[in-house]
Amino acid sequence: MVWPPMVSAQFHFTEEQDQFRDMVRRFLVDTSPTTEVRRLMQTDAGYDAAVWQRLARELGLTGLTIEEKHGGAGFGMVDVCIAMEEMGRALLCAPFLASSVLAAHAIALVASEEDAGRLLPSIAAGEVIATLAITEPDGRPGVDAIALPAERTGDGFVLDGRKHFVLDGCSADVLLVAARSPGSTGSDGLSLFEVAPDAAGVTRRALTTLDPTRKQASIEFDGVQARLLGRVDEAGPGLVRTLDIAAIALANEMVGGAARLLEDTLAYTKIRMQFGRSIASFQAIKHRCAEMLLQVELAKSAAYYAAEAMDAESDEATYLASLAKAGASEAYLHTAIEAIQLHGGIGFTFDQDTHLWFKRAKSSEVMFGDPAWHRERMMQALIVKERASSEAQMGQPA
Amino acid sequence: MVWPPMVSAQFHFTEEQDQFRDMVRRFLVDTSPTTEVRRLMQTDAGYDAAVWQRLARELGLTGLTIEEKHGGAGFGMVDVCIAMEEMGRALLCAPFLASSVLAAHAIALVASEEDAGRLLPSIAAGEVIATLAITEPDGRPGVDAIALPAERTGDGFVLDGRKHFVLDGCSADVLLVAARSPGSTGSDGLSLFEVAPDAAGVTRRALTTLDPTRKQASIEFDGVQARLLGRVDEAGPGLVRTLDIAAIALANEMVGGAARLLEDTLAYTKIRMQFGRSIASFQAIKHRCAEMLLQVELAKSAAYYAAEAMDAESDEATYLASLAKAGASEAYLHTAIEAIQLHGGIGFTFDQDTHLWFKRAKSSEVMFGDPAWHRERMMQALIVKERASSEAQMGQPA
Amino acid sequence: MSEPSESSVRADVSGWLESNWDPDLGLNEWRNKLVDSGWGMPEWPTDWFGRDFSASLVRAVEQEFAKQGAIGVARGGIRLLAAATLLEHGSTAHKEQFLRRILTGEDNWCQLFSEPGSGSDLAGATTRADLDGDQWVVNGQKLWTTSAHHANWGLLLARTDWDAPKHEGLSYFVIDMRQPGVDVQPLAQMNGHASFNQVFFDDAVVERGHLIGEIGKGWQVAMTTLAHERRRADGLRSGYSDVGADIERVGRIYDEEQVETATVMEPYTWYPQRAGRVDLALSRALDSGRIEDPTVRQELAKLLILSSSAEWTARRARAAQQMGKPQGPEGSLGKLAASHVARAAARVHTLISGADAMLAGSDGAEDGIVAEILLSVPAVSIAGGTDEIQRNIIAERVLQMPKETRFDKGPFRDVPKNVSTRLAGENE
Amino acid sequence: MSEPSESSVRADVSGWLESNWDPDLGLNEWRNKLVDSGWGMPEWPTDWFGRDFSASLVRAVEQEFAKQGAIGVARGGIRLLAAATLLEHGSTAHKEQFLRRILTGEDNWCQLFSEPGSGSDLAGATTRADLDGDQWVVNGQKLWTTSAHHANWGLLLARTDWDAPKHEGLSYFVIDMRQPGVDVQPLAQMNGHASFNQVFFDDAVVERGHLIGEIGKGWQVAMTTLAHERRRADGLRSGYSDVGADIERVGRIYDEEQVETATVMEPYTWYPQRAGRVDLALSRALDSGRIEDPTVRQELAKLLILSSSAEWTARRARAAQQMGKPQGPEGSLGKLAASHVARAAARVHTLISGADAMLAGSDGAEDGIVAEILLSVPAVSIAGGTDEIQRNIIAERVLQMPKETRFDKGPFRDVPKNVSTRLAGENE
């Protein structure tokens, strides 16, 4: 492997992408001020249906990466990541990650063309909110941890078990459930099912989350009839890719949040007077802000790069997804801790907004796998690759 | 286990100990200025025989913990650690750790009373320099890693193999060699042998060390006749304890070095002018010095406490030895890095003294096991203890 | 006059307790007796409910109380800081009016120093007190006021001269908290608790006689309060904590005391969580099996090294203090060490939790305690002097590094300061 | 006059090269031709060996050179900084005397700005130049002077007025390094290398005409030199690095160039090690089997995340620059990121090495390279502007935070400064 891995990356956004970012940012400045975030985080659904509709109709975000033939915009991962970064800045409360990233990609990567044609247009139009249920109560990340059994019964499948940490699970109109054929392990034997939330045997319960701006559910499946999407036992690779995409999207959301926190903190230190001077004039504060900027920009670079790699269908995408997620997790949390610290006592109050991002940072840190898990995962990918490459070299004529 | 473990510790030094420290410090200020350190580190032996004699005669340091009946002072671990801390401050070049700590304790803990009576008085008197050869070329710490076989041949033993990282191995008059009965593992089957450096089959070679103030040797044993000390196969526990003692002694040496570096760095920042002011007046420098002090004082507390625990023959001694060593390693290295940094370019020159401590810090960091190894070791000790205690609780009537 | 011997003191106090202590007394009745006897506050002057005893005799008295399970004077909240300040700077009238009811617990006090615009910089207070005839009229806002909603009296630092330099334009008052011009509002924290209050003054009044010390000398008086606060934070009141542990605490007076204690302690319920709960980290790792992960072991070990070393450092400081040795550097470091411990603990708790770290309340690990840890930890490095202030103090006082250049020397009117933040609850 | 088209330039230069380029020429002979032709430095003014070309045309010329494997003008050391400074501030006489021999490589230059007493604070120089008849007499000491022992000319910043404020009392000279009053001593580093020199001036002389710019305006001239130095450090000269890679470089001129390059590069032999050798960390972990330790994997992953992210950040900065986009914050961060990478790499190398980290030279891992890494890493965060200076720059220039208060504004005579350190080699 060339070090560091280099896909055919641009290392910059195109003019169109810059315009797209501006558009999303302007929209979110209007529709997702922290007053709205605070209002929505108190609601059960956790999002504003009218804003969601505008996201769909005015910006076409809800179907951003869905193919045009299915009613989407057919954009790439870099564009999704631009949107996610802006949503992270604005702390948008909406089921974008659940429906437009997780569910839309799972369907596109796993389901049959027919099912995709049936499900994706309404997701793209923002009319249906879908979500993907993968993680189970033990909280272990990755597809290997999927244990919920799908039993074949005559012409169909029956699910029995529980999914946890289901994003927007209580408000979703369609549940996509990853389940396993009994006896299988790893990424083998996995299938994706569609379940209606009001199907017999489905019980949904809202989880109390540390980050109230993102809703999660625990869903019990008690002998639930489920509709298979795609081929039985072959969902593994598609789900792995979906989770890589989600990790990259989340990494970009995180760097957006971190950058916003840094900006807000800088603005605060400049106006906050202590001892007759702005606290931004204290060298210790200046140096810490410089380090924060470094952390944020490094994490941004990795998050952007991973998005480009995914668009380029790079072999390194899994490696880079984990790298970007681990990097963004550390940078966001560090920034959030520093942001509260530099706001002083005010930063610890509920009235001041910093804690909203802090909670998002803390929760995102472990979502889809904590930094240690992703570091281990990237190293395993690297080791496999290195060993293959040294074997290949040894096999070659000198 | 009560958390944190509390042995019957004083948490302060007695008046006699304070006086002892003053005496050692005064002696070392006279005899081990950095001009002397620089002179001695260029020599093969790496120490000044005349100063060693004065350490023995005037201060009684060479036999500090050796029992009075064997010609020593019969002091405890806390006193050794006071001496080590001062030696670390002064960066004394001398075989104290090898002869008076490692070898003296190995003999006291493993050898027969008769052998102890034969060997210890000359060590106590500083007439003989002994050292302990444990680690082998693979560098793995701990007694489990001892692989060198001791073959029984008629009435004696023959050693075949290599020891590495032997402190003062080229200048020692007596080599104590830890070896293993073939087929044994772990701390079983270990024995301690005495070998004369000029015995047939012994080849000593000085290792090129990163820290030139502490000499190390690689010693090859090629069919060497060795004299057993103590009982065959039963040296394990004594060697473990010897290494714990060495780790605690080294931790105290390290905190002495770290404290000295901090003092010197503070003094430098106060006189060094940049931009018309002393660099000590820059808040970023002040805050970093405050953090350095915190690191140094925390490490000191652990190093002192571990010494008290060893004197109290606490069950926690192994746990605390590893804790103190890991803590001191991180604190010393951090302090050394910061010390060079705050000296700026001058700190990177050979003429300025900081690098002498930096090299000692770097080398000591991994000596007798690196911080990660010691952290793992303390956790294993803790887990064993916790499991035993919860089993004991379950066995008790409620 | 030389002090009585410890043994005679022990005999006196235990004899007095045998005659007077009765768990079935009302708390107030008992404490009034205690105040009159001089045994309640033996370190205080003989003129004011005390016996002028040295620290070691005070300890002996306290031990005798503990042996018999006898309840002492009220100590909760900031009442003793108020009393110490009044003893040093108050007039005889002040002492007569306030001291007894401080000790009996009938009056509750709060400290009105901090403001939204002056966090680390207490002397930058902009709450104003203007003399109008026979009373001071107070306007402004205080923040971080613990138990203000229970207090009937407040220690108020307010600006009376805007043309004097910052530290010279402040005066110190006792203000009646139960008046229309004083509005106390709880202040919600990011972790869901509300340990502090905001206090708004809208033409609140202080009677002229409730100025403590001289006009313009309020900072010096406040320093007395703060010095006692620091001493209390540093002090070690144990050493006899096991004495009397076997006394069965049954009786009306204990019930009354329990209610008092619960009220005083209410703001502090989340404090164990903000400290990071190192104890829980170890047991959680063991119970959950996460201890099998080498990365968890490494991180847990780092946390244990840090927290144990901090604990031993504190013990070194106390041991030196108890031996009368000069204060070493280890004494100034506790607060800063606590921040490191708390942050490291939060990291380890997160690592142990994995996805569960996203949950709170009854869904969260340890019934929500872990979520409370994660959300409370940021307080440690801010409350009671930020890490930045601690590092300044360590650098300047312990390491003798140069002080920051002052930018707030001229008339306070001209010093750059924060525009007062006007939050809900205040009427301009 | 409009610029020629790129295609006509390419045709011109390749035609000229075909007629003139010959690998069997002497290096000096060839470079004199090149200087006369204007193809050696096409970005320079037409009056001075150049063609006044824009950057894109210059790149085209360089590509044509690369295609044919033709050697360009001398670029090593600080010669081009000297030339840029002389082009901007030098007189016609200066340009005539110095520019040609800079480009041919006959003269070597060094930069005499830094002093022992003024590290981060270049303008605090205390080396003095006093006018005595027709010459300036120089006394003092410079430090961190790369390749001073190979240089025959030095760019000297010296104080000519002690009563002016710091930045206004400096003048800028070209000094002859081969004179009795100049003593160059190598400066040993803690890692055993000696990449820099100390230069002592003991009544050294500068002829009156070798003042560059005006008396007292030396700081402005030095800023030109430093701006070009920074630009060089930031710049990306590749983008065509694969062009001409298949040219076989055989001939007398290549041998002569190799000798020149070796001399110029000699101070930098340890630079890969000071950067931390991230490449080696991965391969060492794999080869040694230490990759099996989960702790090693975690720490290695942290290092790889950091170093890759730093690399990608640098690429983002370059991409923005190449597209003519405004410089984002990512451009200022490279130096600081490099310090983090180097320190993390040293930690990982130590973790991989275990006890072997105690060894050096042929006993050390990778034949001593690991020891050199461990001993060289501290340089990254110091050389070329300490981390502290970088953080100041990022905070003040990128984040627009307030500048530090200045304490060195009055006459330089009165500014607190360091007593000059007198090391071996100097005669007072």
Side-chain angles (χ1 to χ4, degrees), chain B residues 30-112:
Chain B
D30 286 348
T31 55
S32 183
T34 54
T35 46
E36 272 303 285
V37 173
R38 284 171 182 274
R39 182 180 71 82
L40 292 168
M41 74 188 194
Q42 310 282 6
T43 64
D44 287 342
Y47 72 102
D48 183 305
V51 170
W52 183 250
Q53 284 308 313
R54 290 184 58 200
L55 271 178
R57 290 192 202 134
E58 295 174 24
L59 282 75
L61 285 189
T62 46
L64 196 62
T65 57
I66 292 173
E67 286 180 272
E68 286 174 88
K69 67 177 173 191
H70 294 138
F75 279 27
M77 197 55 203
V78 169
D79 305 282
V80 170
C81 286
I82 290 170
M84 285 294 287
E85 183 178 352
E86 295 305 316
M87 291 172 185
R89 279 184 71 84
L91 214 57
L92 176 71
C93 298
F96 184 80
L97 181 57
S99 192
S100 303
V101 179
L102 278 169
H105 281 102
I107 293 166
L109 291 164
V110 175
S112 69

Side-chain angles (χ1 to χ4, degrees), chain A residues 208 272-273 288 341 348 359, chain C residues 116 188 190 363 381 388 418:
Chain A
T208 306
R272 175 75 178 173
M273 296 287 159
R288 280 167 54 194
Q341 183 67 23
F348 196 69
K359 289 168 182 170
Chain C
M190 62 173 272
D363 285 318
S381 46
E388 290 69 33
N418 297 295

Side-chain angles (χ1 to χ4, degrees), chain B residues 43-213:
Chain B
T43 64
D44 287 342
Y47 72 102
D48 183 305
V51 170
W52 183 250
Q53 284 308 313
R54 290 184 58 200
L55 271 178
R57 290 192 202 134
E58 295 174 24
L59 282 75
L61 285 189
T62 46
L64 196 62
T65 57
I66 292 173
E67 286 180 272
E68 286 174 88
K69 67 177 173 191
H70 294 138
F75 279 27
M77 197 55 203
V78 169
D79 305 282
V80 170
C81 286
I82 290 170
M84 285 294 287
E85 183 178 352
E86 295 305 316
M87 291 172 185
R89 279 184 71 84
L91 214 57
L92 176 71
C93 298
F96 184 80
L97 181 57
S99 192
S100 303
V101 179
L102 278 169
H105 281 102
I107 293 166
L109 291 164
V110 175
S112 69
E113 190 59 27
E114 189 195 328
D115 284 327
R118 181 172 56 81
L119 292 167
L120 288 176
S122 54
I123 293 174
E127 291 157 9
V128 155
I129 288 167
T131 190
L132 176 64
I134 287 209
T135 313
E136 304 190 1
D138 68 6
R140 286 171 52 219
V143 300
D144 294 7
I146 297 169
L148 191 144
E151 296 275 359
R152 200 186 280 264
T153 57
D155 57 346
F157 291 86
V158 169
L159 306 182
D160 268 295
R162 180 182 287 280
K163 293 287 182 180
H164 225 55
F165 307 106
V166 184
L167 286 177
D168 298 296
C170 283
S171 52
D173 308 303
V174 170
L175 304 176
L176 306 174
V177 184
R180 175 178 293 288
S181 288
S184 67
T185 58
S187 60
D188 293 334
L190 297 175
S191 307
L192 185 65
F193 297 94
E194 178 188 353
V195 173
D198 54 1
V202 173
T203 315
R204 304 198 280 184
R205 183 173 70 77
L207 289 166
T208 306
T209 48
L210 182 138
D211 169 18
T213 66

Side-chain angles (χ1 to χ4, degrees), chain A residues 21-144:
Chain A
R21 179 189 297 282
D22 283 348
M23 180 185 73
V24 176
R25 183 173 299 189
R26 276 197 310 271
F27 181 84
L28 293 176
V29 165
D30 286 348
T31 55
S32 183
T34 53
T35 46
E36 271 303 286
V37 173
R38 285 172 182 275
R39 181 178 72 79
L40 292 169
M41 75 189 194
Q42 310 282 5
T43 64
D44 287 342
Y47 73 100
D48 182 305
V51 170
W52 183 249
Q53 283 308 312
R54 290 184 60 197
L55 272 178
R57 290 190 203 135
E58 295 173 25
L59 282 75
L61 286 188
T62 45
L64 196 62
T65 57
I66 293 174
E67 285 180 272
E68 288 172 87
K69 67 177 171 191
H70 294 137
F75 279 27
M77 196 59 201
V78 169
D79 305 282
V80 170
C81 286
I82 290 170
M84 285 293 286
E85 184 178 352
E86 295 305 316
M87 291 173 185
R89 279 184 70 86
L91 215 57
L92 176 71
C93 297
F96 185 80
L97 182 56
S99 192
S100 304
V101 179
L102 278 169
H105 281 102
I107 293 167
L109 291 164
V110 175
S112 68
E113 191 59 28
E114 188 197 328
D115 285 328
R118 182 172 55 81
L119 292 167
L120 288 176
S122 53
I123 293 174
E127 292 156 9
V128 156
I129 289 168
T131 189
L132 177 63
I134 287 210
T135 314
E136 304 190 2
D138 68 6
R140 285 170 53 219
V143 301
D144 294 8

Side-chain angles (χ1 to χ4, degrees), chain D residues 97-119:
Chain D
Q97 182 177 3
F98 296 120
L99 292 181
R100 172 180 292 272
R101 289 166 60 91
I102 283 175
L103 297 181
T104 61
E106 283 161 285
D107 282 350
N108 287 304
W109 290 69
C110 65
Q111 178 180 306
L112 302 159
F113 292 180
S114 288
E115 298 188 6
S118 58

Side-chain angles (χ1 to χ4, degrees), chain A residues 51-340:
Chain A
V51 170
W52 183 249
Q53 283 308 312
R54 290 184 60 197
L55 272 178
R57 290 190 203 135
E58 295 173 25
L59 282 75
L61 286 188
T62 45
L64 196 62
T65 57
I66 293 174
E67 285 180 272
E68 288 172 87
K69 67 177 171 191
H70 294 137
F75 279 27
M77 196 59 201
V78 169
D79 305 282
V80 170
C81 286
I82 290 170
M84 285 293 286
E85 184 178 352
E86 295 305 316
M87 291 173 185
R89 279 184 70 86
L91 215 57
L92 176 71
C93 297
F96 185 80
L97 182 56
S99 192
S100 304
V101 179
L102 278 169
H105 281 102
I107 293 167
L109 291 164
V110 175
S112 68
E113 191 59 28
E114 188 197 328
D115 285 328
R118 182 172 55 81
L119 292 167
L120 288 176
S122 53
I123 293 174
E127 292 156 9
V128 156
I129 289 168
T131 189
L132 177 63
I134 287 210
T135 314
E136 304 190 2
D138 68 6
R140 285 170 53 219
V143 301
D144 294 8
I146 297 169
L148 191 145
E151 296 276 358
R152 198 187 279 266
T153 57
D155 56 345
F157 292 85
V158 169
L159 306 181
D160 269 294
R162 178 181 290 281
K163 292 288 180 179
H164 226 56
F165 307 106
V166 184
L167 284 177
D168 298 297
C170 284
S171 51
D173 307 304
V174 171
L175 304 176
L176 306 175
V177 185
R180 176 179 293 290
S181 289
S184 67
T185 57
S187 59
D188 293 333
L190 296 175
S191 307
L192 185 66
F193 297 94
E194 178 190 352
V195 173
D198 54 2
V202 173
T203 315
R204 304 197 280 184
R205 183 172 71 78
L207 289 166
T208 306
T209 48
L210 183 137
D211 169 18
T213 67
R214 188 130 63 192
K215 305 301 177 187
Q216 301 193 33
S218 180
I219 308 183
E220 201 182 330
F221 300 89
D222 182 7
V224 174
Q225 292 285 343
R227 175 172 184 160
L228 178 70
L229 296 177
R231 290 156 191 261
V232 69
D233 290 351
E234 292 184 11
L239 289 174
V240 168
R241 193 166 183 83
T242 300
L243 287 178
D244 283 341
I245 286 169
I248 294 170
L250 184 56
N252 279 275
E253 186 194 90
M254 293 170 91
V255 298
R260 167 71 178 269
L261 274 180
L262 174 56
E263 285 167 31
D264 287 356
T265 302
L266 274 169
Y268 181 79
T269 63
K270 288 175 189 173
I271 60 158
R272 175 75 178 173
M273 296 287 159
Q274 295 282 271
F275 305 102
R277 54 198 280 201
S278 88
I279 63 171
S281 73
F282 285 100
Q283 197 190 30
I285 306 285
K286 289 163 65 178
H287 282 200
R288 280 167 54 194
C289 288
E291 286 291 333
M292 285 163 79
L293 178 69
L294 177 62
Q295 301 305 322
V296 172
E297 290 298 322
L298 291 179
K300 265 191 194 173
S301 301
Y304 295 170
Y305 190 75
E308 288 202 73
M310 187 55 83
D311 274 341
E313 312 219 345
S314 160
D315 286 351
E316 323 285 8
T318 287
Y319 175 84
L320 291 168
S322 278
L323 188 157
K325 174 62 172 58
S329 295
E330 302 282 8
Y332 198 6
L333 190 69
H334 173 78
T335 308
I337 289 171
E338 290 285 80
I340 291 179

